[in-house]
Amino acid sequence: MEVGIAFVSFPLSVERLQRSVYTVAARDEQEPGMHCGTVAWFDAQRGVGAITVDVSGAEVSVRSTQIDGGGRQSLTAATRVAFTLLDHPCGPRIVDVFVP
């Protein structure tokens, strides 16, 4: 499987770059807990939104504090993201949202 990155707008460490390529290329089949999805909506003023999980199609809420990378504090609708999905007594939780 070939994966290429044409342009990176913020500095990445080698480990971070490998993680982004691994997450997008391998998805959740090789790394349990990691998933890919699409931002359904995000309200930057409130710092909350929802991501649609590719595997299940479920829409799970996300907070701006969970966004990882480059000082980003908001997401744009229809953006592809990778994230960790955790089980919680109140329902699934998204953590470590990464925008490749």
Side-chain angles (χ1 to χ4, degrees):
M1 176 183 322
E2 291 183 345
V3 177
I5 297 178
F7 178 75
V8 177
S9 60
F10 53 91
L12 292 175
S13 66
V14 171
E15 178 182 285
R16 177 80 177 194
L17 184 58
Q18 289 172 341
R19 176 180 167 206
S20 67
V21 171
Y22 180 79
T23 300
V24 173
R27 297 182 45 172
D28 57 311
E29 291 86 2
Q30 295 179 10
E31 187 175 334
M34 289 300 294
H35 297 277
C36 290
T38 306
V39 177
W41 61 273
F42 193 85
D43 184 344
Q45 287 182 328
R46 295 186 324 165
V48 297
I51 295 175
T52 304
V53 182
D54 285 351
V55 176
S56 66
E59 196 170 278
V60 182
S61 64
V62 63
R63 296 184 180 272
S64 61
T65 56
Q66 300 303 327
I67 302 170
D68 184 24
R72 181 187 301 263
Q73 293 298 312
S74 68
L75 298 169
T76 306
T79 302
R80 299 282 299 153
V81 293
F83 52 90
T84 302
L85 189 61
L86 300 177
D87 288 328
H88 189 272
C90 295
R93 302 286 173 150
I94 289 179
V95 295
D96 299 328
V97 178
F98 178 71
V99 182

